[in-house]
Each structure stands twice: as structure tokens, then as C-alpha cells.
Amino acid sequence: MGTSDPASMVLAEVTNRDRTSRIFFSTDRDIDLYELEELCDAVGWARRPIRKVRKAIQNSFLVVSMWEQKGNRKRLIGFSRATSDHAFNATIWDVVVHPDYQGKGLGKTLMHHLIKKLRSEDISNVTLFADPHVVDFYRNLGFMPDPEGIKGMFWYPD
Amino acid sequence: MGTSDPASMVLAEVTNRDRTSRIFFSTDRDIDLYELEELCDAVGWARRPIRKVRKAIQNSFLVVSMWEQKGNRKRLIGFSRATSDHAFNATIWDVVVHPDYQGKGLGKTLMHHLIKKLRSEDISNVTLFADPHVVDFYRNLGFMPDPEGIKGMFWYPD
């Protein structure tokens, strides 16, 4: 995968001393799953079996990763994915931005990119389940909690 | 599709005068989409393009339909489906029971069957978005609204 990949899009280009740093998105699913695990560890998520993460990525409708490229080195700095019926509904899962890159609007840009992609596939119902501390983040992006009293519900075994 | 299909399961068998009426489930996706539309019409849902319904069914992880069989005649009396990443999460959509068959516990049995199938596929996170008037129905099935403050959110274009 490279920035010339049709699945990739350059977001920003920053020249810093002699090195150019680029932030770009990719929808390529061929992600190093240990690098993804490192990213998820950095935000304190519980570890998940690599085998299941691979399966989840393969069976997601859309995967958007965010990368920083400095010279030849690429670093995974953000991730998100969505499940879907490819027709009406999509549900966004696993939105993560590396703590070193938070507070720069990159999470917002990642989400905009994901929503735009979903909309371009004619998905009208874009949904997610937000932890309490990110409800306002999503609200600012145009997500509404409990619209018309619709409740997000989770099943728990007895 | 028949009741001998491995994708089918007989739920109940009722003998009424000389005719045996059977209620059974199926996970077969080869459903007459006009019959499904009729069922959705019966509960007052907005019409959806058949083409998109077909695509949604094809791309759902699991489809469970409920049928009544009297002699050789089968009637579609319930439906539900779930999207999933085949690994962690599933989201249930389009749960419907024909009004003539409501109030008999069939919706509950349909949901039990769907959840059991999802759990047998090692899906741990079973979710849905419930309209206000069915929140208690799902609560009685073990679904919790907003667990630990997690909010269901829907994106609305500006």
C-alpha cells in the first residue's frame, strides 16, 4: 500500500526541517495486525485475539486507517471500521486515534472520511454506540443520541 | 425450502380440525421479497426498494424468518436479520411479526432463536436500536438500554 494506491487519500502534508510528514487515509485492509494492536494498546483497550480481529476486518463493510508517513516510514495513527448490510444500515466500530495525534482534529477528519465513504455507497442510516466520554465528540459530527426515543440496547447473557 | 431443510427448525405443531398447522423458523435467504414486503406493510413500515432489500438480505450475517405451514401452504409470519463483523459484534434489524400472530410469544421465540444462532457463531456483542414502544419487549429478553452510559447514535446529514 502506498499513497498512490487508489484506496489511499493524502490528508495533509507538513514539511518539518528537511523531512516531509504526510497524514493519509487508506481503505486497504492489509493492515499489520500487531501494529493495530499497538495502537489499541496505546488508548488502553482490552486485548483481543488477533485471529478474531482479522476476521472482523475481513467482514467489515468499510475499514479506514490513518497513517503518518515520514520519508519511507509509515506509522498507523488511527483506525475505524463499519459493519453494514451494504444497502440501508451501517454501524461504526473501533474508532481510535493514537494519543500523540489526538486534539488535532484528526479523529474528526477520520470520521468525516468514513461517513463520506458510507454515503457514497448509498447507506442512509449511519449509526454507532458511543461511550459516555465521546458522546459530545460524535454529537459535534452530526450524530444524535436516541433520536425520536430510539434506544441503543446490548444483550447480556443471564 | 422445507421443514426438512437443515436451515429450518420446527417451533410448534398445532392440530386444528383436520389440518396440522406448524410454525417453523428458517435461515434460508431465498425469501419471496414481495411476501416480505406484504409482511412489512402489515405492520405499517415504510416501503423500501425491493432491490435494496435483496442486497441487505444477501449482506446480512444472519436472516431468520418465521413461517406458518398449513398442509402445503406456507405463510411468512415473521422476519429478522442481523449485520455483523462475524467476530465480535452483531446488530439486529428489521424484527417483524405479522399482527395476526402477535401476542402469542412468537416475537420472543424468534428473538431467542436469533440470539442463540449469533452466540453459536461466537458473537459476544449483540446489539440493536429499539423504537420507544419496543424497549420493554427487548428489555424482557435481556437487552439493556444504554449500558454503562453507552449511547446509540444516528448520523443526520446537515
Side-chain angles (χ1 to χ4, degrees):
Chain A
M1 193 193 65
T3 52
S4 61
D5 191 307
S8 294
M9 194 197 81
V10 174
L11 164 64
E13 206 157 310
V14 186
T15 306
N16 205 343
R17 277 165 283 165
D18 354 303
R19 299 185 89 181
T20 299
S21 166
R22 266 188 191 144
I23 306 283
F24 68 93
F25 292 125
S26 172
T27 54
D28 197 317
R29 283 150 203 254
D30 191 15
I31 294 168
D32 178 334
L33 297 181
Y34 292 94
E35 199 175 353
L36 178 58
E37 188 173 64
E38 214 181 304
L39 172 62
C40 296
D41 282 351
V43 293
W45 288 2
R47 282 276 175 107
R48 299 181 297 183
I50 292 278
R51 175 189 61 81
K52 288 196 82 170
V53 173
R54 180 179 298 114
K55 198 175 176 189
I57 288 177
Q58 277 165 356
N59 291 292
S60 290
F61 176 61
L62 180 64
V63 174
V64 176
S65 53
M66 188 163 62
W67 303 79
E68 185 191 45
Q69 184 160 23
K70 283 184 183 170
N72 288 327
R73 230 189 101 61
K74 273 187 350 208
R75 181 183 179 189
L76 179 66
I77 61 167
F79 182 86
S80 62
R81 64 186 179 91
T83 50
S84 175
D85 58 17
H86 304 206
F88 300 109
N89 309 307
T91 310
I92 297 168
W93 306 98
D94 295 354
V95 178
V96 54
V97 174
H98 193 283
D100 295 351
Y101 295 82
Q102 288 180 13
K104 302 173 196 291
L106 290 175
K108 194 173 164 177
T109 315
L110 175 66
M111 287 298 297
H112 278 308
H113 190 64
L114 186 70
I115 293 166
K116 199 175 147 188
K117 288 262 175 197
L118 292 171
R119 297 285 290 175
S120 75
E121 298 282 347
D122 203 22
I123 303 292
S124 51
N125 194 34
V126 179
T127 62
L128 53 80
F129 297 97
D131 283 325
H133 67 285
V134 287
V135 166
D136 284 338
F137 167 75
Y138 289 115
R139 202 194 300 264
N140 290 334
L141 285 164
F143 285 88
M144 194 181 289
D146 303 345
E148 299 174 56
I150 296 171
K151 275 285 173 197
M153 300 185 86
F154 287 66
W155 184 77
Y156 291 93
D158 289 330
Chain B
M1 192 193 65
T3 53
S4 61
D5 190 307
S8 295
M9 194 196 82
V10 174
L11 164 64
E13 207 157 311
V14 186
T15 306
N16 205 345
R17 275 165 285 166
D18 354 301
R19 301 185 87 183
T20 299
S21 165
R22 266 190 193 142
I23 306 283
F24 68 95
F25 293 124
S26 172
T27 53
D28 197 317
R29 284 150 202 254
D30 191 17
I31 294 167
D32 179 335
L33 298 182
Y34 291 94
E35 198 174 353
L36 178 58
E37 188 172 64
E38 213 180 305
L39 172 62
C40 296
D41 282 352
V43 292
W45 289 2
R47 282 277 175 106
R48 299 182 295 185
I50 292 280
R51 175 190 60 81
K52 289 196 80 172
V53 173
R54 181 178 296 116
K55 199 175 175 188
I57 288 177
Q58 277 164 356
N59 291 292
S60 290
F61 175 61
L62 180 63
V63 174
V64 176
S65 52
M66 187 164 61
W67 303 80
E68 186 192 45
Q69 184 159 24
K70 284 185 184 171
N72 288 327
R73 230 190 98 62
K74 273 186 351 208
R75 182 183 178 188
L76 179 66
I77 61 167
F79 181 86
S80 62
R81 64 186 179 91
T83 51
S84 176
D85 56 18
H86 304 205
F88 301 108
N89 309 307
T91 311
I92 298 168
W93 306 98
D94 295 355
V95 179
V96 54
V97 175
H98 193 283
D100 295 351
Y101 296 82
Q102 288 179 13
K104 302 173 195 291
L106 290 175
K108 194 174 164 177
T109 315
L110 176 65
M111 288 299 298
H112 278 309
H113 191 62
L114 187 70
I115 293 166
K116 198 175 149 188
K117 287 261 174 198
L118 292 171
R119 296 284 291 176
S120 74
E121 299 283 345
D122 204 22
I123 304 292
S124 50
N125 193 33
V126 179
T127 62
L128 53 79
F129 297 97
D131 283 328
H133 66 285
V134 286
V135 166
D136 284 338
F137 167 75
Y138 289 116
R139 202 194 300 265
N140 289 335
L141 284 163
F143 285 88
M144 194 181 289
D146 303 345
E148 298 174 57
I150 296 172
K151 274 285 171 197
M153 300 184 87
F154 287 66
W155 184 78
Y156 291 92
D158 288 331

